[in-house]
Amino acid sequence: NLLLLLDFSSSTGELDKPSSLHYQSGDEKTQFEEVLHSVGSIICQYVKDGVPVYGFGASFPSLSVTETKHFFRIVGSEPSEKVALEADTLCKMYRSTLKVAKPMEPSSICPGLKSITEWVKQNQLARTTIYSVAGILTDGALTDLSEILKCIVQASSMPVSFIFVTVGTGDMRLS
């Protein structure tokens, strides 16, 4: 099993500013989308059931959600787009979220890591031979590093790996 967790926090920049990792000009891909497409074009080849996508660090004012969401599901605009079977679908799902997301702080990723670990536990109870990988795309400006380390250590006995991919020029250090 593989899933992705995308950083929408305000440290990635205001969506309408060219310095933002989520800035889109015309049909050009955002910096985040470039990385998402690159990662997706590789991983989607190996996942036959599709890749579920989640996000963190955003609110959704147009949907009457004004508080920061630290873990939320990303789906496409089509009812069938709940998981991605190819890189283009990943990007389409990402873009549909950009239309309604407002970057927020703090960028707390631990609720997502805990949810993923709980999901792995439930899968392990149902099927003992499953291994999961969570790809986390972030700018690296995470505010809860000591908590992240605790979450990773707590998950270390579970069949899961967390792979952090830094987008942009951010500097991510977990020590």
Side-chain angles (χ1 to χ4, degrees):
N1 279 344
L2 184 112
L3 62 92
L4 292 173
L5 183 58
L6 310 180
D7 185 349
F8 285 89
S9 64
S10 60
S11 62
T12 62
E14 294 181 42
L15 301 179
D16 60 346
K17 305 281 188 226
S19 59
S20 171
L21 298 175
H22 297 293
Y23 179 75
Q24 181 185 359
S25 177
D27 289 335
E28 292 180 25
K29 291 180 180 169
T30 70
Q31 289 182 57
F32 235 86
E33 193 173 4
E34 289 283 348
V35 173
L36 182 60
H37 194 273
S38 294
V39 169
S41 64
I42 295 167
I43 63 173
C44 286
Q45 297 177 54
Y46 301 101
V47 181
K48 59 184 168 192
D49 296 332
V51 178
V53 185
Y54 298 87
F56 69 96
S59 67
F60 303 91
S62 65
L63 302 174
S64 299
V65 178
T66 56
E67 72 277 356
T68 303
K69 291 295 180 187
H70 298 295
F71 187 65
F72 54 88
R73 184 76 187 257
I74 294 175
V75 296
S77 55
E78 302 295 321
S80 63
E81 294 173 332
K82 294 184 175 137
V83 296
L85 294 170
E86 57 187 35
D88 288 340
T89 305
L90 279 172
C91 292
K92 192 174 176 186
M93 292 166 70
Y94 161 78
R95 281 187 180 224
S96 73
T97 300
L98 274 185
K99 291 177 184 175
V100 293
K102 177 184 177 189
M104 300 288 284
E105 287 297 329
S107 38
S108 180
I109 194 172
C110 279
L113 297 179
K114 288 176 182 176
S115 294
I116 292 165
T117 302
E118 185 58 35
W119 177 71
V120 169
K121 274 186 203 176
Q122 295 305 316
N123 277 334
Q124 192 176 25
L125 292 174
R127 300 178 280 179
T128 58
T129 58
I130 197 163
Y131 192 87
S132 298
V133 176
I136 300 154
L137 279 63
T138 178
D139 67 346
L142 302 171
T143 57
D144 56 347
L145 293 180
S146 63
E147 195 64 28
I148 291 170
L149 289 174
K150 286 180 192 174
C151 289
I152 292 172
V153 168
Q154 288 173 349
S156 65
S157 63
M158 303 298 299
V160 62
S161 292
F162 299 108
I163 300 173
F164 288 83
V165 178
T166 304
V167 180
T169 59
D171 182 18
M172 182 170 177
R173 296 179 190 196
L174 291 178
S175 58

